Amino acid sequence: MFSTSSQRKFWTFNDESELARHREKHNLEFISKHGHHIDEYQRYNFFLSPDEERLLLKQYELHLKEFCKRFAPPMPKGVVGTAFHYFKRFYLYNSSMDYHPKEILATCVYLACKVEEFNVSIGQFVANIKGDREKASDIILNNELLLMQQLNYHLTIHNPFRPVEGFLIDIKTRCSTLANPERLRGGIDEFLEKVFLTDACLLYAPSQIALAAVLHAASKEQENLDSYVTDMLFRDAGSDKLAILIEAVRKIRSMVKMVESPARERVRIIEKKLDRCRNEENNPDSEIYKRRMRELLDEDDMPHSGSNRMSLDTSGISQVLSPSIFN
Amino acid sequence: MDDQACPRCKTTKYRNPSLKLMVNICGHALCESCVDLLFLKGSGSCPDCNVPLRRSNFRVQLFEDSMVEKEMDIRKRVLKDFNKKEEDFATLREYNDYLEEIEVIIYNLVNNIDVVGTNKRIEQYKKDNKELIMKNKAKIGREEIELEEILENEKQMEEFRRQEIAKMEDEAKKQKIREKEALIDELMFADGDAKDILNTFAQTVANKQEEVVPLLPKVTQFSSGVKFTRGSSQALPIIEEGPLYKYEPLEIPDRCGPDPPSLEEIMKNGFLHHVRAENETEKAGGYTSTLPCLRALQDALSGLYHAS
């Protein structure tokens, strides 16, 4: 139940400014940690600003959506929703300069597959990735524990998909004024797909998002479900609660309406900037990373041949993503 | 006894006082060290008669005459199967005939007369009386247990009596000492006539002896008649009984939304028309469509009041 979940307690925030504060904080932390040798003015040019990070992550959320859509075997919706949650949560407390989003993206989806009991092996999983698959699977498995730790092991996600089913059942049963509620499905699916490109799932309850989706789809079909909400759902609740819900639904719908993909040209510039300023310790292609991995392996007293797997070559996961920006 | 010797290594009791002769089912003796030597692998054949033997079947020879040993072995084996009781026969005559038959079989086996035929007879008997044999075996087992229990009981009673007596004696001794001291004290400090004091004390002593408290017998069984222990001396663990369990309905956490319909309402109010009905296979597995329906409705309504 959402009301008693870790999702509500730790991962549902008050408003967008709180989210922005978190992101900004970790952006600044990264810069002050890694930028002490660069003067103030240069810093601005060298590192990503919070806005640039935002834009970059938006782009990668689109990649995430595409990746899941093309995934074979076809993925249940719940996995996609969960992966989105993980991705957003991770970058709330981490900078994209620290961990490259393309790596975290694949890890999020992989972990979501596990948590949502969508059974794919790592081999099957990386078959969906173009490029060096062995390297990709190394990166995913190396990052998996990090991701779980950053999520504070709050792995259960309440997605809006089941609430949508609940509302449809309820509408069919109790609200006979609406003819054929099944025709709302197209609108609902479209809405929910876009919802995950916004921060709504970090701000509102899944049932609120689901209700917003249902109401949006109804209005698209020139139907009005307001009476269902006021007379059925909120009959026994006070008007203050109704007001809160109406505001939430309005906000969610406006957030979805504002969704737009970032300009390709800008993202390309940001990506280039990121390649220069990213934390080399977490870059599997860098010398530092390879050396650290080797040290770790030596510590584990593992046979030396093992380090071959870790010294990854350059072309790995950059191909995870749909080819839109890479060709 | 002095001429007792191992037929294989010729060691005698005189030369090796710790010599122990062992016999197996064939009745031929061997000393312990020869057994160790010959049956290193657990089985082998008797050096006298070449009968295949198992090492585990060797035991210490009790009788000087190895034929007696052999007969004991055979008797034990035969009686395992010929275990009918007098009650199993209609007349005494029949029972006696049966006992006679057993003796004939044993005699034949011991003296190697018609061994094959006798063994066939045993097999035949076994086949014919399979059920009875099994039944009697179980009965013997039960009787043994009962016997054991009776012995145990007697032992306990004995122990109890012994303790009682010891306790009484102890008590009496202590009592005597105390009385003596009291008497001396009285004689030292009281003003009355010494004779009177002596008389009153003798009186109280006589009275007291009558009121010896009988000891409570030790409890050795449950109220159901089952013994605390049977054979083993393990004590049963004592289970501390707390207050009786009282059911309290689960506290339902705040749903943060309107109340979902109950399971009855879901079945009554037609919610089920809008979910996929379970098929026969799923029903067998315990799945009903009410549960996912309830879950979807609960999820839909939970959190609707959520306010940032």
Side-chain angles (χ1 to χ4, degrees), chain A residues 3 14 162 167 173 207-208 237, chain B residues 254 295 300 302 304-306 308:
Chain A
S3 60
N14 288 332
R162 198 193 308 276
F167 281 125
T173 313
S207 53
Q208 290 172 328
Chain B
D254 179 23
R295 191 168 171 204
S302 159
L304 269 187
Y305 297 165
H306 174 78
S308 41

Side-chain angles (χ1 to χ4, degrees), chain A residues 1 22 29 36 47 61 63 90 112 160 162 175 190 193 215 232 241 248 252 261 266 276 285-286 307 309 319-320:
Chain A
M1 199 154 36
H22 279 299
E29 253 170 32
H36 43 77
F47 290 110
E61 282 176 3
H63 290 324
F90 183 87
R162 198 193 308 276
C175 183
E190 196 185 313
E193 220 170 74
L215 295 178
M232 301 264 190
K241 284 177 177 146
I252 296 168
S261 39
R266 271 209 74 190
R276 266 177 281 123
D285 301 332
S286 72
S307 66
R309 262 167 61 82
Q319 315 282 332
V320 176

Side-chain angles (χ1 to χ4, degrees), chain B residues 239-246:
Chain B
I239 298 159
E240 252 181 62
E241 278 187 45
L244 278 180
Y245 174 75
K246 201 162 154 281

Side-chain angles (χ1 to χ4, degrees), chain A residues 243-257:
Chain A
I244 291 169
L245 179 88
I246 289 172
E247 174 59 19
V249 168
R250 195 190 59 74
K251 197 79 215 300
I252 296 168
R253 287 180 69 175
S254 81
M255 281 167 108
V256 168
K257 208 182 268 175

